[in-house]
Amino acid sequence: MLCGGCLFLLLLNVPDGFPSESQESDERPSVVPQPPPGTPARNVPGCPANCTCPAEETVDCGGLDLHLFPGNLSKSIQHLSLQNNRLQELPCNELSRLAHLKTLNLHNNHITSEGLPDEAFESLQALQYIYLANNQLSDAPQFLPSTLRIVDMAANRLTQLYQLTFGHKPGLRSVYLHNNQLSNIGLPFDAFNGSDAVSTLILSSNLLTYLPQNLPPAVVRLHLQNNRISRVPKGALNRHWRLRELYLQNNNLTNDGLDPSTFSKLKSLEYLDLSNNNLTEVPSGLPPNVVILHLGRNRLSALPPERLSRVRGLQYLLLQSNTLTASGVHPEAFARLRSLHTLHLYNNRLESVPPGLPRRVRSLMLLHNRIAHIGPHDFAATYALAELNLSYNRLYSAHIHRLAFRKLRRLETVDLSGNRLTLLPAGLPSSLQVLNLQKNQINSLSSELLANLTRLKELHLAHNRLRIGGISPGTWQELQGLKLLDLSYNELSYVPPDLPESLEHLYLQHNRIAVLTAEAFLTTPNIRVVALRSNRLLAANVSAEAFADLKQLEVVDTTGNPELIVVPLPQAGRWVRPQAGT
Ligand SMILES: *[C@@H]1O[C@H](CO)[C@@H](O)[C@H](O)[C@H]1NC(C)=O
Ligand SMILES: *[C@@H]1O[C@H](CO)[C@@H](O)[C@H](O)[C@H]1NC(C)=O
Ligand SMILES: *[C@@H]1O[C@H](CO)[C@@H](O)[C@H](O)[C@H]1NC(C)=O
Ligand SMILES: *[C@@H]1O[C@H](CO)[C@@H](O)[C@H](O)[C@H]1NC(C)=O
Ligand SMILES: *[C@@H]1O[C@H](CO)[C@@H](O)[C@H](O)[C@H]1NC(C)=O
Ligand SMILES: *[C@@H]1O[C@H](CO)[C@@H](O)[C@H](O)[C@H]1NC(C)=O
Ligand SMILES: *[C@@H]1O[C@H](CO)[C@@H](O)[C@H](O)[C@H]1NC(C)=O
Ligand SMILES: *[C@@H]1O[C@H](CO)[C@@H](O)[C@H](O)[C@H]1NC(C)=O
């Protein structure tokens, strides 16, 4: 709007409430200089009413519910904070006087484009930081000073930028424009001409349909997620060899919309997020230094040999929620990925463990597939594997080869929950610390299958079919490190005997336990938590001595039994009432 016009505008009809918060508030830079720690709260003379002015050049009027720009501000101020007020407009004559202003914080007001006088900025020739996020701007200012370093206009309603909004600002470093309504038409071709130092450009959550061309050449972080981008024009990223972080998730990219050279010049690129798009193939020409590649939630059905193995620096490869089959994974697909340690393949259509797994993989997520068997060689080369998640597949005990895990000497966590196992898998390595077998059909436990698991800390067996008779004597004897045993939702009629001395957490809820003898916890003096909820206990069948020597006992849950069971707890020298009936 014109400068003269803003002079006498009265502010009427201040709307209630505040604009919606930005979805990317974490990307907003921290705001405005604070007084040095220890500075006493004092106001220099001439400070506007209710504001704080810790120094001559700093005026803070944040959060005062102001409807009007404070009048008579000293001409010499450098930092002005007006965030969290109800300003609708900035009077041109007041603003343009502040020729020394370096920081102007107007975050979270009700400022419209009509209320923001372009001309005022012409005299602000020292302005470096302007924060206008969470206002009601529909057009960006036509002109902003060339001295700017950071501009935040996130969470407005911007549809249009101009040549001199962000162009011709040699010192400009960071531009935040997420949560606006920018389409490609609103972004002029020369929007960043002469602003070659911009390194952070945030354009997520707008209405872009293709990746804007002529982006500033030095950009390091480029966020374009949550748009409608379906293509990247050829050459659009050719000059951007400094780019390290490119977010393109939640768009509409297809392989047709990408050129083989789209990413190939991005030699500094470390983080590329292409998840939740419409890709049917891994894009070609991925640059070699990518560390994290996110291709989840696309329509990939196969992994050919060449596309990925050129990305030599890859450490995290995320391929979940595609339609990959094991036969579609070429045995050489992961070859030469010597740094790859985390591979997510969950929620695909794998019918078996894919071939040629990366040799250094430490964390392998194969859950929610259709894997029905594990052969002796599936994990024969993945020596470094520490975490293996095979939950929610279609595994039967008979289809897991007894030597399947023999090479995995560093395995620490195995999750086989939600399968169709009737037995514990054989040959688990002694390095194992967590074994999750819940929601299977396991009906027997024996010492042979748990032998050597001396480092096991957690054993999860909830939701199986275990009865006391199915647990062989000696089952627990080698589990000298076991701290947590979950046997809930089984068919146990009493507490299994000879549990390991190391045990601290014992979950037995939802069984058929009808009696607690004096010896029930004889071998587990360190127990802290015992869950006995929803069993068949009557007070008369619970021996008073069962808990007597458990000095560490903190929680006993006996709710949901036919009678109220009261267990005294020895804690911190006093006896605490247990959790009583529901
Ligand atoms: C300062 O705060 C007081 C108390 O909240 C209020 O009554 C007064 O109107 C305020 N003054 C200005 C100039 O905002
Ligand atoms: C600004 O200062 C002048 C002179 O001291 C005074 O007349 C005027 O009322 C002040 N205006 C505001 C908005 O405080
Ligand atoms: C902006 O920069 C591009 C690329 O350097 C150039 O083609 C174009 O002519 C420039 N536009 C203006 C107005 O300077
Ligand atoms: C995605 O792009 C396709 C064309 O490639 C188009 O038909 C479709 O409507 C787009 N979807 C969205 C949500 O923009
Ligand atoms: C994916 O792309 C196809 C064309 O290749 C298009 O028909 C389809 O609508 C797109 N899917 C979405 C979710 O936009
Ligand atoms: C396996 O993955 C599921 C789903 O993400 C998760 O809940 C579970 O904790 C994982 N298992 C282990 C042992 O980390
Ligand atoms: C336990 O370890 C010993 C010695 O390493 C080995 O001979 C034996 O086969 C292992 N038992 C099981 C069940 O893996
Ligand atoms: C539980 O106690 C009742 C009453 O003392 C007794 O009749 C019953 O046999 C006991 N049940 C078990 C399983 O010990």
Side-chain angles (χ1 to χ4, degrees), residues 381-451:
T382 53
Y383 299 98
L385 198 60
E387 188 182 10
L388 174 60
N389 200 328
L390 279 161
S391 57
Y392 298 94
N393 276 286
R394 299 181 182 174
L395 289 164
Y396 288 89
S397 288
H399 297 159
I400 300 183
H401 195 278
R402 70 193 162 81
L403 301 177
F405 304 111
R406 73 190 186 289
K407 290 288 171 61
L408 306 181
R409 302 256 177 251
R410 298 188 198 164
L411 197 60
E412 291 176 3
T413 302
V414 172
D415 197 334
L416 282 160
S417 54
N419 279 283
R420 294 159 193 186
L421 306 181
T422 46
L423 288 171
L424 300 187
L428 289 169
S430 61
S431 52
L432 202 64
Q433 294 181 16
V434 176
L435 177 55
N436 192 344
L437 290 161
Q438 63 175 319
K439 297 193 177 153
N440 277 283
Q441 296 157 19
I442 294 171
N443 54 25
S444 69
L445 297 177
S446 65
S447 57
E448 301 92 76
L449 294 174
L450 287 168

Side-chain angles (χ1 to χ4, degrees), residues 190-448:
D190 47 8
F192 295 98
N193 274 26
S195 297
D196 288 354
V198 173
S199 63
T200 295
L201 177 54
I202 309 296
L203 278 162
S204 47
S205 300
N206 277 285
L207 303 172
L208 302 172
T209 51
Y210 58 89
L211 189 136
Q213 279 159 294
N214 209 14
L215 292 172
V219 70
V220 171
R221 298 166 72 210
L222 176 57
H223 289 195
L224 291 161
Q225 71 270 31
N226 306 325
N227 277 281
R228 297 174 185 173
I229 296 174
S230 63
R231 65 190 176 89
V232 180
K234 193 167 158 64
L237 294 171
N238 272 5
R239 295 187 301 156
H240 301 89
W241 59 270
R242 292 191 188 86
L243 190 60
R244 284 216 301 264
E245 189 176 284
L246 176 56
Y247 287 0
L248 279 164
Q249 66 269 30
N250 307 332
N251 277 292
N252 193 11
L253 286 166
T254 58
N255 289 89
D256 287 344
L258 299 174
D259 185 82
S261 65
T262 294
F263 303 113
S264 60
K265 301 278 170 44
L266 304 177
K267 65 177 191 186
S268 303
L269 194 66
E270 291 177 3
Y271 191 132
L272 176 57
D273 195 336
L274 291 165
S275 62
N276 202 14
N277 275 285
N278 200 350
L279 301 171
T280 48
E281 289 173 31
V282 176
S284 52
L286 292 173
N289 294 321
V290 175
V291 172
I292 303 179
L293 176 58
H294 200 334
L295 287 165
R297 297 185 70 191
N298 276 284
R299 297 196 288 141
L300 309 178
S301 58
L303 298 178
E306 286 304 325
R307 297 271 164 104
L308 286 168
S309 52
R310 297 188 38 207
V311 194
R312 301 289 178 80
L314 203 58
Q315 294 183 28
Y316 299 81
L317 176 57
L318 311 176
L319 290 163
Q320 62 267 28
S321 302
N322 279 286
T323 56
L324 292 165
T325 58
S327 50
V329 177
H330 191 279
E332 297 288 310
F334 305 114
R336 296 196 288 280
L337 298 181
R338 297 210 170 84
S339 305
L340 189 67
H341 55 69
T342 300
L343 178 56
H344 287 191
L345 283 163
Y346 58 85
N347 226 355
N348 274 283
R349 296 184 188 163
L350 300 172
E351 67 285 9
S352 56
V353 177
L357 289 172
R359 299 175 75 93
R360 307 266 163 89
V361 68
R362 289 206 300 267
S363 174
L364 180 57
M365 297 291 141
L366 290 168
L367 54 148
H368 287 285
N369 276 287
R370 302 168 182 181
I371 298 172
H373 55 91
I374 300 181
H377 305 299
D378 286 349
F379 298 119
T382 53
Y383 299 98
L385 198 60
E387 188 182 10
L388 174 60
N389 200 328
L390 279 161
S391 57
Y392 298 94
N393 276 286
R394 299 181 182 174
L395 289 164
Y396 288 89
S397 288
H399 297 159
I400 300 183
H401 195 278
R402 70 193 162 81
L403 301 177
F405 304 111
R406 73 190 186 289
K407 290 288 171 61
L408 306 181
R409 302 256 177 251
R410 298 188 198 164
L411 197 60
E412 291 176 3
T413 302
V414 172
D415 197 334
L416 282 160
S417 54
N419 279 283
R420 294 159 193 186
L421 306 181
T422 46
L423 288 171
L424 300 187
L428 289 169
S430 61
S431 52
L432 202 64
Q433 294 181 16
V434 176
L435 177 55
N436 192 344
L437 290 161
Q438 63 175 319
K439 297 193 177 153
N440 277 283
Q441 296 157 19
I442 294 171
N443 54 25
S444 69
L445 297 177
S446 65
S447 57
E448 301 92 76

